[in-house]
């Protein structure tokens, strides 16, 4: 059992702790982003190795949106302690947290990642731009009919090969970032779209971010390794996933440049690559001191995300120095998020 009451989160008495001491303690429970998952897994393993007697945290991958939904469902032993996310929590999600009693949320930026476009080693190569990606993948590019069957239909300089892109599902933070950082950026190259945003924002969102559903874009679920496998077996296919998966599978796949910049550590850290984005975890302050090992797990994160740390070795791009310093403080001082912070 976990040493926390679903109904009372103020304190757990020493007597109650002692009474449970002979019972197996459930581990810190983490849900959310498939992109953050491999980093959280390494931190969890190191936390357990470096702290004798600690039960290894349970890390689950069910997407940023799904993880935050679970996280915000309430407090107590049947709810997660942490939600990983490859995009920032939405104001509406924060409001749901508050309504459900998750009143003290700590937001920690753990590092940077990039939405990498890739193909198999020796496979199709292209210099992409947000506009090219948008025209290829939008359901109704600039409000018109989607007729592109090949990359050359989008831009004559590209290969006359069928468009086939394997990517993340709608519940994934990677999909949200794809929409915001790439598709919407490509859509905005048409000045008429800005006018549409001002006159009909819902229609603008639909036109600029809705992905075609005719089989040219294939939702591959929350497991990014499946996307790696799909493009590894088809040299005409393109995959979209977090940079860390590109780094981890460099022997199988190659990054495709965007605006002339390759998806590399340096280009992501400088934001030269258009798909660069911050990664987050959201922590229930109400569970700190109640869930054994939660504070230790946060401290292990702060020891792991430097430029020469263990997470950099598996593809995490370190945040700028001042951002890292600010987030180290959050792992010890537990400052909480406000609605105004999300505006």
């Amino acid at each position: 059992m976990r040493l926390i009451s679903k109904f009372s989160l103020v304190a757990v008495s020493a007597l109650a702790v002692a009474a449970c001491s002979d019972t197996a303690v459930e581990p810190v429970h983490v849900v959310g982003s498939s992109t953050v998952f491999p980093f959280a897994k390494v931190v969890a393993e190191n936390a357990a190795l470096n702290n004798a007697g600690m039960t290894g945290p349970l890390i689950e991958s069910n997407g940023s949106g799904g993880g935050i939904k679970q996280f915000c469902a309430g407090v107590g032993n049947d709810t997660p302690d942490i939600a990983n996310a490859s995009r920032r929590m939405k104001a509406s999600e924060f409001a749901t947290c508050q309504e459900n009693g998750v009143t003290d949320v700590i937001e920690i930026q753990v590092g940077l990642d990039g939405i990498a476009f890739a193909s198999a080693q020796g496979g199709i190569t292209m210099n992409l731009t947000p506009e090219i990606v948008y025209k290829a993948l939008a359901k109704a590019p600039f409000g018109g009919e989607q007729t592109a069957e090949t990359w050359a239909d989008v831009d004559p300089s590209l290969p006359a090969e069928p468009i086939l892109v394997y990517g993340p599902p709608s519940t994934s933070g990677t999909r949200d970032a794809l929409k915001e950082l790439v598709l919407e950026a490509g859509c905005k190259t048409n000045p008429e779209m800005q006018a549409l945003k001002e006159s009909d924002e819902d229609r603008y969102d639909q036109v600029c971010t809705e992905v075609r559903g005719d089989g040219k874009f294939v939702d591959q679920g929350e497991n990014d390794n499946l996307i790696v496998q799909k493009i590894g077996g088809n040299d005409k296919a393109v995959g979209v996933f977090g940079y860390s998966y590109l780094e981890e599978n460099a022997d199988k796949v190659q990054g495709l440049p965007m605006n002339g910049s390759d998806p590399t550590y340096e280009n992501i850290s400088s934001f030269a690559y258009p798909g660069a984005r911050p990664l987050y975890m959201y922590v229930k302050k109400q569970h700190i001191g109640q869930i054994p090992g939660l504070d230790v797990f946060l401290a292990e994160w702060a020891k792991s995300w430097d430029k020469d740390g263990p997470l950099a070795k598996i593809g995490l791009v370190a945040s700028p120095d001042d951002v890292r310093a600010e987030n180290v403080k959050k792992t010890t001082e537990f400052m909480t998020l406000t609605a105004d912070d999300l505006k």
Side-chain angles (χ1 to χ4, degrees):
M1 62 180 290
R2 291 184 45 179
L3 303 183
I4 186 167
S5 166
K6 178 179 179 181
F7 305 106
S8 175
L9 289 163
V10 177
V12 177
S13 69
L15 181 61
V17 172
C20 292
S21 61
D22 294 330
T23 306
V25 177
E26 290 187 19
V28 172
H29 186 193
V30 183
V31 296
S33 167
S34 62
T35 300
V36 183
F37 172 79
F39 307 128
K41 189 169 178 289
V42 168
V43 175
E45 290 168 353
N46 289 340
L49 285 172
N50 296 334
N51 297 276
M54 179 181 179
T55 303
L58 171 64
I59 315 294
E60 295 185 83
S61 171
N62 63 333
S64 298
I68 291 174
K69 183 177 180 180
Q70 276 185 272
F71 176 85
C72 289
V75 292
N77 62 345
D78 57 350
T79 66
D81 308 304
I82 295 175
N84 293 328
S86 54
R87 46 89 171 164
R88 202 173 194 197
M89 180 180 280
K90 299 174 184 177
S92 59
E93 293 168 330
F94 182 77
T96 298
C97 265
Q98 301 294 300
E99 291 165 4
N100 292 333
V102 186
T103 53
D104 298 312
V105 177
I106 305 166
E107 178 186 72
I108 299 173
Q109 183 178 312
V110 301
L112 304 175
D113 186 41
I115 307 169
F117 286 75
S119 62
Q121 280 287 354
I124 191 170
T125 59
M126 295 178 283
N127 184 11
L128 299 172
T129 66
E131 183 177 7
I132 286 171
V133 174
Y134 172 71
K135 287 179 177 179
L137 298 185
K139 182 176 182 179
F142 304 126
E145 182 181 0
Q146 176 58 274
T147 60
E149 295 294 323
T150 71
W151 291 102
D153 291 337
V154 176
D155 186 312
S157 69
L158 300 180
E161 299 290 352
I163 297 167
L164 176 59
V165 178
Y166 291 99
S170 59
T171 55
S172 169
T174 303
R175 178 73 162 266
D176 291 330
L178 170 65
K179 289 179 178 180
E180 179 183 346
L181 300 176
V182 181
L183 296 179
E184 190 173 356
C187 184
K188 285 179 178 178
T189 59
N190 185 329
E192 293 179 8
M193 295 300 101
Q194 183 58 43
L196 178 62
K197 184 175 184 178
E198 294 171 2
S199 64
D200 187 345
E201 191 160 359
D202 288 342
R203 173 61 178 160
Y204 167 83
D205 288 340
Q206 183 180 39
V207 168
C208 286
T209 65
E210 189 170 355
V211 176
R212 64 195 298 177
D214 58 358
K216 299 294 185 185
F217 180 89
V218 182
D219 176 331
Q220 203 54 57
E222 292 290 354
N223 188 345
D224 289 355
N225 281 315
L226 290 179
I227 300 177
V228 173
Q229 291 173 20
K230 287 288 186 180
I231 65 174
N234 183 345
D235 62 7
K236 307 299 183 186
V238 172
V240 183
F241 40 65
Y243 163 74
S244 61
Y245 286 87
L246 174 63
E247 178 84 357
E248 184 181 343
N249 295 280
D251 58 327
K252 304 182 188 74
V253 299
Q254 59 187 0
L256 300 179
M258 180 84 70
N259 287 351
S261 293
D262 291 318
T264 64
Y265 187 102
E266 292 74 18
N267 288 337
I268 291 168
S269 62
S270 68
F271 290 91
Y273 187 75
R277 57 174 175 170
L279 303 176
Y280 299 93
M281 65 176 172
Y282 293 91
V283 184
K284 284 179 187 164
K285 184 175 180 179
Q286 290 146 293
H287 284 198
I288 293 174
Q290 308 297 319
I291 298 300
L294 181 53
D295 55 345
V296 173
F297 182 59
L298 298 184
E300 193 69 35
W301 263 106
K303 289 163 49 181
S304 305
W305 59 37
D306 288 342
K307 295 173 184 176
D308 58 353
L311 299 183
K313 294 179 173 63
I314 60 168
L316 184 73
V317 177
S319 298
D321 292 346
D322 59 334
V323 175
R324 289 205 313 283
E326 178 186 348
N327 284 281
V328 167
K329 285 180 63 178
K330 291 181 181 180
T331 66
T332 56
E333 298 180 13
F334 311 133
M335 298 94 82
T336 55
L337 188 66
T338 70
D340 286 342
D341 293 332
L342 296 173
K343 291 181 179 177

